[in-house]
Amino acid sequence: MIAQWAVLQNLASPVAGDPTQRLLQMQQQQRETKSRGRWNLISIQLPTFNPTKLLQVLSPVGGLLFNRWAVILFLIGWLSLGWQLIIQSEHLANSYQGILAGSKWIWLLGVWIVLKIVHELGHGLYCRKQGGDVPQAGIVLLLFTPLAFVNVTSSWRLPNRWQRIGVALAGMYLELWLAMFAAFLWLYSGEPGLIQDLAYNVMLMASINTLLFNANPLMRFDGYFVLSDWLGIPNLYAKGTGLMTLWVRSILLGLPRNVAALGVQNKREYSIALVYGVMATIWKYLVCIGLIIAASCLFDGLGVLLALVAAYLWFVAPLIKLVNNLWQNRSTQPLNLRYLSVSAITICGMLLMVFGVLQSPPSKSAPALVGYADESIVRASTDGFVQEIFVVEGQTVKPGQLLAKLSNPELELEAVTIQHEIQEQELRARQAHFGSKLAEYQSTIETKIGLEKQLGELLEQLAGLEIYASRSGQIVARSLSTRVGTYVKKGDEIATVADPQQLKLIVAIPQQDIGSFPTADVTPLRAKFPGSPILHCPVLVVNPRATLLPHHRAFCADVGGSIPVRPTGEKIERDESDATDSPVELLEPHFYVEVNVPQDARYRLWPGQTGWAVFSAHRQSLGNYLWHQSQQWLEQKVKAAMELH
């Protein structure tokens, strides 16, 4: 059994075998591995160096940080900081927006590089402190993102497993020290700026990112080595994935499961390694697929090439290698054609089911808002102070009825001033005419015409200080009386004139989903609002143009809605004749669709209420649907991170 394991681990060769041939095969395998590494554009290893002298210089720092009192201070600091971060959790989450905007991604990359160097220094310093050697260090580019590494394999020879666990945890320990300092700086740095942005980046990447990736035991990072030493199972990853491979080969190809060759000691180790192998394999392929999707999204045309190369290296190449090994070993391990046929048919059937038979969900949903049908929004046509309001909420009005009156003393004074200037120009024109000064007369007349045009515009604005109803209906507004004395700008909403019994739904459809939305001549969509049964509503109008302007603030995520937004001070065009200043805009364009509300359901709804509309979707294969949904989710997150606050 031991001899067989040694042969499989390339530590010995059979007596009947040819040692020279076996060495040639090993060299060929090493060349193939190096060749695949050179062409792996997803992961590129740069030249390495020996960090021994650097670690000797920094050893006093390691002695200061890796002692009992430093650990106690570390724990006290995080305990005092945790509650403050929980209180600031909403602000903490919102600060993610714009993290990559403008040139911030350069700072983020710099912070990332520094943190990874500090992380690897932690491993090296603690390994040296425990008597181990660190002969090698370098950088690996993962998706062109630099990751530092140090060779601390000498820690495997340390006699105490807690020493080995300490080496594995040392990198995260140093990063969490930096995260703690950055968190205090972020909380107490005052006004937003470069310092607070850098502190947020350090805090985020040195804590959450480190714990999600480095502490994850399913990847061969720090968390894996901690788990392996804690369980007392060396080579847990190799044993687990080896058992997983044996099970897959046994099920799909009918090959025997030679568990003893993997060096599994007992039933406990077997059970743990098998469970770990299944979980690690699933996680590995999820990460590979995620990186492929990320590469295809982030680097445009180059990303597609990277995705194809990665797919070949991670999926196609291992499959080709497996087929070659099975073919070369067919004399010692004959294939079971029955198993092979059934397995091939099963795999092809599963792929056909995912990418051909199984369809995407038959419907999609979009946020909906209750509004008034055929409403007329009364807006200020001129800047001014609200001097008087002549109506109250719920009052019935007729077309042409005076609703409110504004005042603008500056506008009135400017109109009087221009009237006096016109009179002066008329007097000068008469004098020039009687004095036969033709050139002066013509110049004065032109000036007078220009002033009269300005006066006409001012009088039109002054007339706009009186606001009238354009249609009959009821006044819909809250606390109208409190508007008296407030200043309003041109275009600001004063009130709404509508029929309270006539309601409609406004549905916000993302631009990529508008092709799936039903038209007016098909089955009505379904709408669901709290306290109301499912409504079947026909479509009335589809806005022909997508916009970033929120139709209503209730749609926006910053006030409890479901559509992500970003702050903006820019003026966004609503249509060709209307522009509105909005404090936010949507992250992606949306179409607004008006939907009729059934007569018997109107008494259950009220204006401003939010809910969801469900409509039939364009069907596609389940595989394509999951792929595109993953791409859209990633692109949305990246776009949110790259948008300025």
Side-chain angles (χ1 to χ4, degrees):
M1 185 182 298
I2 297 176
Q4 186 178 21
W5 173 83
V7 169
L8 292 175
Q9 299 299 321
N10 296 327
L11 299 177
S13 60
V15 175
D18 185 357
T20 305
Q21 183 64 25
R22 185 167 184 81
L23 288 174
L24 291 175
Q25 291 178 356
M26 292 174 58
Q27 292 176 358
Q28 178 65 23
Q29 291 176 357
Q30 292 175 355
R31 284 195 296 266
E32 291 177 357
T33 302
K34 291 181 180 180
S35 177
R36 287 196 300 269
R38 285 194 297 268
W39 288 99
N40 188 351
L41 300 180
I42 300 295
S43 177
I44 304 173
Q45 181 173 325
L46 300 181
T48 60
F49 68 98
N50 191 324
T52 302
K53 293 183 179 179
L54 176 63
L55 294 176
Q56 287 176 347
V57 173
L58 296 176
S59 58
V61 178
L64 184 65
L65 291 173
F66 298 114
N67 63 70
R68 181 181 304 174
W69 299 109
V71 174
I72 293 174
L73 182 62
F74 170 82
L75 295 176
I76 293 174
W78 271 111
L79 287 174
S80 63
L81 185 65
W83 179 248
Q84 300 177 60
L85 292 177
I86 292 174
I87 296 175
Q88 297 285 339
S89 58
E90 184 175 353
H91 178 40
L92 190 67
N94 292 336
S95 297
Y96 167 78
Q97 183 173 326
I99 195 173
L100 298 176
S103 60
K104 290 183 179 180
W105 68 270
I106 300 177
W107 292 100
L108 191 67
L109 179 61
V111 168
W112 172 272
I113 295 173
V114 171
L115 287 177
K116 294 305 106 180
I117 292 175
V118 170
H119 181 100
E120 298 305 321
L121 278 175
H123 291 309
L125 288 172
Y126 194 80
C127 184
R128 293 271 304 176
K129 180 179 174 63
Q130 299 302 321
D133 296 325
V134 185
Q136 186 184 33
I139 294 177
V140 173
L141 299 181
L142 182 63
L143 275 180
F144 299 108
T145 303
L147 296 173
F149 74 91
V150 292
N151 184 350
V152 290
T153 54
S154 62
S155 64
W156 299 350
R157 298 192 298 269
L158 295 175
N160 191 326
R161 68 172 178 174
W162 296 109
Q163 291 177 311
R164 298 192 296 270
I165 290 176
V167 173
L169 292 176
M172 291 185 287
Y173 172 72
L174 284 195
E175 281 200 77
L176 289 173
W177 264 109
L178 292 180
M180 182 172 62
F181 286 125
F184 278 114
L185 184 61
W186 180 76
L187 286 170
Y188 301 109
S189 60
E191 294 296 326
L194 178 61
I195 300 299
Q196 194 173 61
D197 287 342
L198 286 176
Y200 179 81
N201 292 341
V202 173
M203 174 181 60
L204 183 69
M205 290 190 295
S207 58
I208 298 177
N209 285 7
T210 295
L211 294 176
L212 285 178
F213 292 98
N214 290 95
N216 186 351
L218 298 179
M219 306 174 72
R220 297 193 68 182
F221 295 143
D222 304 334
Y224 160 73
F225 295 105
V226 172
L227 178 65
S228 180
D229 273 314
W230 180 66
L231 293 174
I233 304 177
N235 297 322
L236 176 61
Y237 186 89
K239 293 176 180 178
T241 54
L243 286 174
M244 177 69 180
T245 303
L246 289 178
W247 272 93
V248 172
R249 286 160 60 100
S250 174
I251 294 173
L252 298 182
L253 305 175
L255 297 176
R257 293 195 297 268
N258 191 359
V259 178
L262 296 174
V264 178
Q265 301 296 325
N266 49 52
K267 290 184 178 180
R268 170 186 174 271
E269 188 171 309
Y270 174 85
S271 301
I272 294 175
L274 180 59
V275 172
Y276 177 85
V278 173
M279 296 174 63
T281 301
I282 294 174
W283 178 256
K284 171 187 174 182
Y285 284 109
L286 287 177
V287 170
C288 291
I289 294 172
L291 289 175
I292 290 173
I293 295 175
S296 64
C297 292
L298 297 179
F299 302 110
D300 297 327
L302 177 59
V304 176
L305 176 61
L306 287 173
L308 292 175
V309 172
Y312 174 80
L313 292 173
W314 289 338
F315 299 102
V316 179
L319 181 61
I320 294 175
K321 181 180 178 182
L322 174 62
V323 173
N324 286 334
N325 289 338
L326 292 174
W327 180 256
Q328 292 174 1
N329 298 328
R330 65 186 184 278
S331 59
T332 57
Q333 291 183 339
L335 297 177
N336 190 319
L337 296 180
R338 180 170 61 86
Y339 265 90
L340 188 59
S341 302
V342 172
S343 300
I345 294 173
T346 302
I347 293 174
C348 292
M350 292 175 62
L351 293 175
L352 180 63
M353 291 287 290
V354 173
F355 291 97
V357 178
L358 295 179
Q359 298 290 301
S360 61
S363 61
K364 289 187 176 182
S365 60
L369 177 77
V370 180
Y372 291 106
D374 195 22
E375 64 183 5
S376 175
I377 299 177
V378 179
R379 300 181 185 274
S381 57
T382 306
D383 298 347
F385 292 92
V386 179
Q387 182 177 350
E388 190 173 0
I389 294 179
F390 302 98
V391 293
V392 296
E393 183 180 0
Q395 179 178 338
T396 302
V397 297
K398 298 179 180 180
Q401 182 174 339
L402 181 62
L403 304 180
K405 186 176 182 180
L406 310 181
S407 65
N408 191 327
E410 294 182 359
L411 202 63
E412 295 170 355
L413 179 60
E414 186 177 357
V416 172
T417 302
I418 291 181
Q419 286 177 341
H420 291 163
E421 291 180 357
I422 290 175
Q423 293 175 359
E424 291 179 2
Q425 295 300 324
E426 289 178 346
L427 180 60
R428 291 178 182 176
R430 292 194 191 99
Q431 292 175 350
H433 177 71
F434 290 130
S436 300
K437 299 178 180 179
L438 183 60
E440 183 179 347
Y441 174 77
Q442 291 177 344
S443 175
T444 305
I445 292 299
E446 291 178 358
T447 302
K448 176 190 172 185
I449 292 174
L451 290 173
E452 288 176 342
K453 184 177 180 181
Q454 293 182 32
L455 180 61
E457 294 174 352
L458 287 173
L459 293 177
E460 184 178 349
Q461 295 181 47
L462 288 172
L465 294 174
E466 294 183 345
I467 301 174
Y468 297 89
S470 60
R471 53 156 293 175
S472 60
Q474 289 186 4
I475 296 295
V476 180
R478 294 184 180 180
S479 305
L480 269 176
S481 59
T482 62
R483 300 294 298 273
V484 176
T486 61
Y487 185 79
V488 295
K489 293 183 179 181
K490 179 180 179 180
D492 285 353
E493 181 178 339
I494 304 297
T496 299
V497 179
D499 183 355
Q501 301 302 319
Q502 300 296 321
L503 297 177
K504 66 179 179 181
L505 303 183
I506 305 297
V507 183
I509 309 296
Q511 189 172 15
Q512 68 268 17
D513 292 340
I514 192 62
S516 302
F517 198 81
T519 56
D521 57 348
V522 300
T523 304
L525 59 79
R526 292 167 292 151
K528 177 61 179 175
F529 290 85
S532 174
I534 296 178
L535 308 177
H536 297 272
C537 310
V539 178
L540 294 177
V541 179
V542 178
N543 191 320
R545 190 179 69 172
T547 178
L548 293 174
L549 182 71
H551 185 278
H552 195 282
R553 289 285 284 139
F555 280 125
C556 303
D558 62 330
V559 293
S562 58
I563 304 179
V565 296
R566 59 170 173 257
T568 178
E570 300 178 357
K571 187 164 286 190
I572 311 166
E573 294 293 333
R574 175 180 290 178
D575 54 43
E576 288 79 359
S577 60
D578 186 21
T580 304
D581 285 326
S582 175
V584 297
E585 64 179 6
L586 309 181
L587 285 185
E588 58 177 332
H590 279 65
F591 288 86
Y592 293 109
V593 178
E594 296 183 11
V595 182
N596 193 21
V597 178
Q599 188 70 33
D600 59 347
R602 291 174 182 173
Y603 72 92
R604 302 190 187 98
L605 305 176
W606 61 89
Q609 186 180 11
T610 57
W612 290 90
V614 180
F615 55 93
S616 300
H618 173 67
R619 302 305 299 274
Q620 56 182 325
S621 71
L622 181 61
N624 289 335
Y625 172 77
L626 294 175
W627 177 271
H628 291 304
Q629 288 295 112
S630 301
Q631 276 191 320
Q632 290 175 11
W633 178 84
L634 180 62
E635 288 174 352
Q636 187 181 58
K637 292 298 181 182
V638 172
K639 190 172 183 180
M642 297 183 70
E643 293 293 343
L644 287 168
H645 286 281

